[in-house]
């Protein structure tokens, strides 16, 4: 079974390091971001879902029939963020971080 992770973000200091380590570990990486960063360039092996993940309807469409071993949400800062993310990702992963 292929190991996979979905990272919300992926180009910030911490999340970019996680992406790089996951790739080294042989984990399939998908990132959701707006594709607007100038700081970090994701590896060509990383699938990018280019979207504002706060757009619920778009995200439900993009995640339809997708499942990941884990979702790592590095853009989660407030209780409302957690509530939104858990509801959005609950059927698309085995673990949510």
């Amino acid at each position: 079974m292929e190991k996979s992770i979905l990272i919300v973000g992926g180009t910030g200091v911490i999340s970019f390091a996680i992406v790089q380590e996951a790739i080294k570990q042989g984990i399939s990486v998908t990132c959701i971001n707006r594709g607007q960063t100038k700081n970090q360039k994701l590896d060509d092996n990383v699938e990018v879902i280019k979207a504002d993940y706060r757009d619920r309807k778009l995200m439900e469409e993009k995640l339809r029939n997708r499942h990941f071993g884990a979702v790592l949400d590095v853009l989660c800062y407030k209780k409302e963020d957690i509530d939104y993310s858990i509801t959005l990702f609950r059927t698309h992963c085995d673990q949510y971080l």
Side-chain angles (χ1 to χ4, degrees), residues 18 22 25 31 45 47 50 53-54 78 84 92-93 96:
I18 292 169
Q25 299 281 331
C31 292
N45 293 323
E47 175 189 5
K50 189 174 177 181
Y53 107 110
R54 294 283 175 209
K78 301 180 280 186
Y84 171 80
H92 298 287
C93 65
Y96 172 80

Side-chain angles (χ1 to χ4, degrees), residues 10-28:
T11 57
V13 174
I14 294 171
S15 61
F16 187 76
I18 292 169
V19 168
Q20 298 307 307
E21 184 60 30
I23 291 169
K24 284 185 203 173
Q25 299 281 331
I27 297 170
S28 174

Side-chain angles (χ1 to χ4, degrees), residues 83-94:
D83 293 342
Y84 171 80
S85 291
I86 288 175
T87 302
L88 178 63
F89 297 120
R90 71 176 168 212
T91 61
H92 298 287
C93 65
D94 297 324

Side-chain angles (χ1 to χ4, degrees), residues 43-75:
D43 186 279
D44 290 337
N45 293 323
V46 174
E47 175 189 5
V48 176
I49 297 173
K50 189 174 177 181
D52 180 350
Y53 107 110
R54 294 283 175 209
D55 182 337
R56 175 83 183 225
K57 185 176 179 180
L58 177 62
M59 289 313 309
E60 288 175 351
E61 181 180 308
K62 299 260 184 189
L63 294 172
R64 187 173 293 124
N65 299 320
R66 301 289 306 265
H67 191 85
F68 303 91
V71 170
L72 172 62
D73 185 351
V74 296
L75 298 179

